[in-house]
Amino acid sequence: MDVTLAAGSAWTDPACPVARTVDLIGDRWSLLIIRDAMDGATTFTEFHQRLGIARNILTDRLRKLVEHGILDKSAATDGRRHTYRLTEAGQDLFTAVVALRQWGERHAFAPDEPHSILVDDQGRELPELHPLGQEGAPLSAEASHVRKTA
């Protein structure tokens, strides 16, 4: 995986994993492409139809996600187009996407406003995500801190 930025760009905060992640996938289109890939979209046309994104922006975001090892690009069986699939690194974003979704369910909608829900293979809503400490107890922002490494 290439963990460099485009020529002329610099990491927002080179030592921070959150900042580097946002630099790689933090714009809304990249996150929505990742979300749709998790929901089964595999072709340029599928992403374009689902998102309504301008073609040039979609082309750019797909290229960057492939360059950074989030998506894998391969020739489709018809040979005329490409398919995109999440790599292992892309699949690893599932928990982050679920956390964003659950935050949105709690804070981005009015109480009775309809919205989509994420369900498992049995049709059950996913339980709310919570970070856990080493002993298995819920962990909050107040009970954790960042330790700088060399």
Side-chain angles (χ1 to χ4, degrees):
M1 178 168 118
D2 183 5
V3 290
T4 59
L5 293 175
S9 298
W11 294 111
T12 301
D13 182 348
C16 177
V18 174
R20 278 194 172 210
T21 301
V22 171
D23 286 343
L24 293 173
I25 56 128
D27 71 273
R28 72 175 172 165
W29 291 122
S30 293
L31 284 169
L32 294 176
I33 290 167
I34 292 164
R35 176 205 63 189
D36 284 1
M38 289 178 179
D39 198 32
T42 60
T43 67
F44 184 95
T45 301
E46 288 173 322
F47 289 115
H48 186 254
Q49 289 174 344
R50 289 178 182 217
L51 295 169
I53 183 175
R55 298 176 77 79
N56 63 321
I57 294 173
L58 179 56
T59 297
D60 179 65
R61 295 315 188 277
L62 288 169
R63 180 186 53 78
K64 287 178 180 177
L65 290 169
V66 169
E67 284 177 3
H68 293 301
I70 307 300
L71 292 175
D72 183 46
K73 177 180 172 182
S74 59
T77 54
D78 65 9
R80 295 187 341 225
R81 59 175 122 171
H82 295 97
T83 58
Y84 298 89
R85 301 233 185 270
L86 291 164
T87 62
E88 184 176 340
Q91 290 286 344
D92 280 351
L93 288 165
F94 180 70
T95 303
V97 171
V98 171
L100 286 169
R101 168 181 274 285
Q102 290 181 350
W103 184 93
E105 289 170 350
R106 288 190 304 275
H107 302 289
F109 291 89
D112 295 330
E113 190 175 1
H115 58 79
S116 63
I117 59 171
L118 184 63
V119 296
D120 66 17
D121 287 343
Q122 307 298 315
R124 301 172 296 204
E125 285 189 54
L126 273 61
E128 194 170 316
L129 295 178
H130 294 284
L132 302 176
Q134 291 294 325
E135 290 78 36
L139 190 62
S140 68
E142 294 83 20
S144 64
H145 67 276
V146 173
R147 180 177 60 212
K148 305 287 183 179
T149 59

